[in-house]
Amino acid sequence: MDSRNGLGAPQETSDADIESFFESAPPLRDSFNVSRKVKEFIERNSRSFENGRSTRVVCVTSGGTTVPLEQRCVRFIDNFSSGHRGATSTEYFVKAGYAVIFLHRRGTCQPYCGSLPEDSLLDCFELTEDSTVQACPSHAEAVKRAIRNHHAAVEEGLLLKLPYTTIFEYLQILRVIAISMRSIGSCGMFYLAAAVSDFYVPWESMAEHKIQSAAGPLDMRLAPVPKMLSVLRNKWAPAAFCISFKLETDPKILLEKADKALRKYKMHMVVANELSTRNEEVVVISSSDRIAVRREHQNEDVEKHLIDLLVERHAVYIEKSSTVALTGEVV
Ligand code: PMT
């Protein structure tokens, strides 16, 4: 997140900053399997057809990245994101027929679990007299619905869940996904709802062991995390439809900053939201309009209307991109 409160010169990210971030990051655990799963998921879905068109694929990022302070991590910097936006949006994308790569922070909200209590395993189930496990009557309907919807999405091959914890893991997996999504061109979408750290401790300058408190006050220099939006748009997946988010706590600067992000990173749309009202309303900004999207009542998700709008705009974008491909015309 941007920590400058709208003041000061924006940081510029060069290709060299991005290269050096990846070169110095600790290697991604299980990277071979992550790449394989992503590739297979995209290939399978790009071959499958629904309503006469190939399945569209969206990468939804969700939750907040951590910044470790020690290589053998005891302490880390975290942020507020619960993952509600990403998890709920995933459900509506699946409902709209999209295949979803759900890149989420471990331990944050999961699709289809929104109506379950927080400690769902212990609160939703009970033991019968003969020690079998059954859903508690008060939660039985919610549990059945969650299991049914989740299994349907996974069995239909429409949901791939990939977890991350640190900023290093998040950006490395995002790059793997983006480069694989290149093959599906405009049928791919990025929906970047994760709250990504703006500052981090580079791996090589990080203490290996637990920082000792006896050494007195802690003085630590954090480096800016390179913004990956430009490289995602320009190099990794240039034809994909890209939606980023802009979060502020001060409503006076929100729309202006979202507008700036739209132009600077050449996003197709930016979803602007304010911390305290983020579950009630958002403003979707594109080069041609600004649309306020609100939930109509308390039991409704703002994501329902938001995803409807994005799916509609993505369809127009795909249509325009195929016209350009056929005629060479600039739309
Ligand atoms: O998870 P919830 O509790 O439901 O909350 C949802 C949300 C508020 C986290 C979500 O709606 C949201 O706004 N997510 C983006 C928050 C954020 O980091 O905003 P930002 O203005 O600091 O960053 C703007 C964009 O730049 C983001 O899309 C981010 O993916 C991207 N970014 C940020 C930092 C960075 N170093 N590189 C990036 O690419």
mmCIF file of all heavy atoms in Angstrom, residues 171-188:
data_model
loop_
_atom_site.group_PDB
_atom_site.id
_atom_site.type_symbol
_atom_site.label_atom_id
_atom_site.label_comp_id
_atom_site.label_asym_id
_atom_site.label_seq_id
_atom_site.Cartn_x
_atom_site.Cartn_y
_atom_site.Cartn_z
ATOM 1 N N LEU A 171 4.796 -12.400 -5.113
ATOM 2 C CA LEU A 171 5.217 -11.864 -6.413
ATOM 3 C C LEU A 171 5.790 -12.952 -7.314
ATOM 4 O O LEU A 171 5.614 -12.912 -8.531
ATOM 5 C CB LEU A 171 6.203 -10.716 -6.217
ATOM 6 C CG LEU A 171 5.557 -9.430 -5.661
ATOM 7 C CD1 LEU A 171 6.611 -8.350 -5.409
ATOM 8 C CD2 LEU A 171 4.481 -8.879 -6.593
ATOM 9 N N GLN A 172 6.446 -13.951 -6.708
ATOM 10 C CA GLN A 172 6.977 -15.035 -7.544
ATOM 11 C C GLN A 172 5.834 -15.851 -8.156
ATOM 12 O O GLN A 172 5.880 -16.219 -9.330
ATOM 13 C CB GLN A 172 7.902 -15.932 -6.720
ATOM 14 C CG GLN A 172 9.214 -15.216 -6.379
ATOM 15 C CD GLN A 172 10.142 -16.071 -5.534
ATOM 16 O OE1 GLN A 172 11.062 -16.685 -6.032
ATOM 17 N NE2 GLN A 172 9.901 -16.128 -4.257
ATOM 18 N N ILE A 173 4.811 -16.126 -7.367
ATOM 19 C CA ILE A 173 3.692 -16.925 -7.922
ATOM 20 C C ILE A 173 2.906 -16.092 -8.935
ATOM 21 O O ILE A 173 2.498 -16.594 -9.982
ATOM 22 C CB ILE A 173 2.765 -17.476 -6.795
ATOM 23 C CG1 ILE A 173 3.570 -18.306 -5.800
ATOM 24 C CG2 ILE A 173 1.660 -18.336 -7.394
ATOM 25 C CD1 ILE A 173 2.788 -18.802 -4.597
ATOM 26 N N LEU A 174 2.730 -14.797 -8.629
ATOM 27 C CA LEU A 174 2.014 -13.930 -9.583
ATOM 28 C C LEU A 174 2.720 -13.935 -10.945
ATOM 29 O O LEU A 174 2.088 -14.007 -11.996
ATOM 30 C CB LEU A 174 1.921 -12.502 -9.026
ATOM 31 C CG LEU A 174 1.148 -11.513 -9.894
ATOM 32 C CD1 LEU A 174 -0.329 -11.894 -10.002
ATOM 33 C CD2 LEU A 174 1.264 -10.087 -9.358
ATOM 34 N N ARG A 175 4.051 -13.906 -10.906
ATOM 35 C CA ARG A 175 4.798 -13.911 -12.170
ATOM 36 C C ARG A 175 4.579 -15.225 -12.929
ATOM 37 O O ARG A 175 4.359 -15.221 -14.150
ATOM 38 C CB ARG A 175 6.295 -13.693 -11.889
ATOM 39 C CG ARG A 175 7.121 -13.679 -13.169
ATOM 40 C CD ARG A 175 8.558 -13.314 -12.936
ATOM 41 N NE ARG A 175 9.238 -14.255 -12.060
ATOM 42 C CZ ARG A 175 10.554 -14.328 -11.899
ATOM 43 N NH1 ARG A 175 11.335 -13.487 -12.554
ATOM 44 N NH2 ARG A 175 11.098 -15.199 -11.084
ATOM 45 N N VAL A 176 4.615 -16.351 -12.202
ATOM 46 C CA VAL A 176 4.387 -17.656 -12.846
ATOM 47 C C VAL A 176 3.009 -17.664 -13.520
ATOM 48 O O VAL A 176 2.850 -18.065 -14.674
ATOM 49 C CB VAL A 176 4.460 -18.802 -11.787
ATOM 50 C CG1 VAL A 176 3.924 -20.105 -12.346
ATOM 51 C CG2 VAL A 176 5.877 -18.969 -11.279
ATOM 52 N N ILE A 177 2.006 -17.191 -12.790
ATOM 53 C CA ILE A 177 0.636 -17.203 -13.327
ATOM 54 C C ILE A 177 0.557 -16.295 -14.555
ATOM 55 O O ILE A 177 0.022 -16.671 -15.598
ATOM 56 C CB ILE A 177 -0.377 -16.719 -12.251
ATOM 57 C CG1 ILE A 177 -0.393 -17.672 -11.066
ATOM 58 C CG2 ILE A 177 -1.781 -16.589 -12.856
ATOM 59 C CD1 ILE A 177 -1.164 -17.159 -9.853
ATOM 60 N N ALA A 178 1.109 -15.087 -14.424
ATOM 61 C CA ALA A 178 0.970 -14.102 -15.500
ATOM 62 C C ALA A 178 1.633 -14.601 -16.780
ATOM 63 O O ALA A 178 1.062 -14.481 -17.873
ATOM 64 C CB ALA A 178 1.566 -12.778 -15.060
ATOM 65 N N ILE A 179 2.809 -15.188 -16.633
ATOM 66 C CA ILE A 179 3.513 -15.650 -17.845
ATOM 67 C C ILE A 179 2.732 -16.807 -18.484
ATOM 68 O O ILE A 179 2.629 -16.900 -19.707
ATOM 69 C CB ILE A 179 4.982 -15.982 -17.511
ATOM 70 C CG1 ILE A 179 5.707 -14.665 -17.184
ATOM 71 C CG2 ILE A 179 5.672 -16.716 -18.659
ATOM 72 C CD1 ILE A 179 7.111 -14.806 -16.652
ATOM 73 N N SER A 180 2.118 -17.655 -17.659
ATOM 74 C CA SER A 180 1.308 -18.752 -18.222
ATOM 75 C C SER A 180 0.025 -18.214 -18.860
ATOM 76 O O SER A 180 -0.473 -18.789 -19.830
ATOM 77 C CB SER A 180 0.896 -19.750 -17.142
ATOM 78 O OG SER A 180 2.017 -20.400 -16.656
ATOM 79 N N MET A 181 -0.515 -17.144 -18.319
ATOM 80 C CA MET A 181 -1.773 -16.586 -18.849
ATOM 81 C C MET A 181 -1.572 -15.918 -20.205
ATOM 82 O O MET A 181 -2.535 -15.660 -20.914
ATOM 83 C CB MET A 181 -2.339 -15.534 -17.881
ATOM 84 C CG MET A 181 -2.791 -16.083 -16.552
ATOM 85 S SD MET A 181 -4.550 -16.383 -16.426
ATOM 86 C CE MET A 181 -5.172 -14.749 -16.142
ATOM 87 N N ARG A 182 -0.322 -15.637 -20.535
ATOM 88 C CA ARG A 182 -0.055 -14.961 -21.813
ATOM 89 C C ARG A 182 -0.667 -15.747 -22.976
ATOM 90 O O ARG A 182 -1.159 -15.180 -23.940
ATOM 91 C CB ARG A 182 1.458 -14.843 -22.002
ATOM 92 C CG ARG A 182 1.860 -13.830 -23.021
ATOM 93 C CD ARG A 182 3.327 -13.892 -23.316
ATOM 94 N NE ARG A 182 4.147 -13.437 -22.213
ATOM 95 C CZ ARG A 182 5.436 -13.754 -22.054
ATOM 96 N NH1 ARG A 182 6.043 -14.545 -22.906
ATOM 97 N NH2 ARG A 182 6.118 -13.299 -21.033
ATOM 98 N N SER A 183 -0.641 -17.099 -22.859
ATOM 99 C CA SER A 183 -1.097 -17.939 -23.969
ATOM 100 C C SER A 183 -2.590 -17.751 -24.274
ATOM 101 O O SER A 183 -3.041 -18.101 -25.353
ATOM 102 C CB SER A 183 -0.826 -19.414 -23.649
ATOM 103 O OG SER A 183 -1.579 -19.775 -22.515
ATOM 104 N N ILE A 184 -3.374 -17.248 -23.311
ATOM 105 C CA ILE A 184 -4.811 -17.116 -23.597
ATOM 106 C C ILE A 184 -5.194 -15.675 -23.948
ATOM 107 O O ILE A 184 -6.376 -15.363 -24.116
ATOM 108 C CB ILE A 184 -5.680 -17.655 -22.436
ATOM 109 C CG1 ILE A 184 -5.328 -16.968 -21.122
ATOM 110 C CG2 ILE A 184 -5.555 -19.164 -22.325
ATOM 111 C CD1 ILE A 184 -6.334 -17.281 -20.030
ATOM 112 N N GLY A 185 -4.206 -14.823 -24.065
ATOM 113 C CA GLY A 185 -4.433 -13.461 -24.557
ATOM 114 C C GLY A 185 -5.526 -12.724 -23.801
ATOM 115 O O GLY A 185 -5.552 -12.694 -22.567
ATOM 116 N N SER A 186 -6.468 -12.166 -24.576
ATOM 117 C CA SER A 186 -7.489 -11.309 -23.967
ATOM 118 C C SER A 186 -8.520 -12.095 -23.154
ATOM 119 O O SER A 186 -9.322 -11.495 -22.431
ATOM 120 C CB SER A 186 -8.196 -10.499 -25.057
ATOM 121 O OG SER A 186 -8.798 -11.385 -25.968
ATOM 122 N N CYS A 187 -8.523 -13.433 -23.245
ATOM 123 C CA CYS A 187 -9.474 -14.226 -22.434
ATOM 124 C C CYS A 187 -9.043 -14.289 -20.971
ATOM 125 O O CYS A 187 -9.773 -14.784 -20.108
ATOM 126 C CB CYS A 187 -9.605 -15.645 -22.981
ATOM 127 S SG CYS A 187 -10.526 -15.684 -24.500
ATOM 128 N N GLY A 188 -7.841 -13.818 -20.680
ATOM 129 C CA GLY A 188 -7.358 -13.817 -19.294
ATOM 130 C C GLY A 188 -7.662 -12.497 -18.612
ATOM 131 O O GLY A 188 -7.708 -11.440 -19.252
#
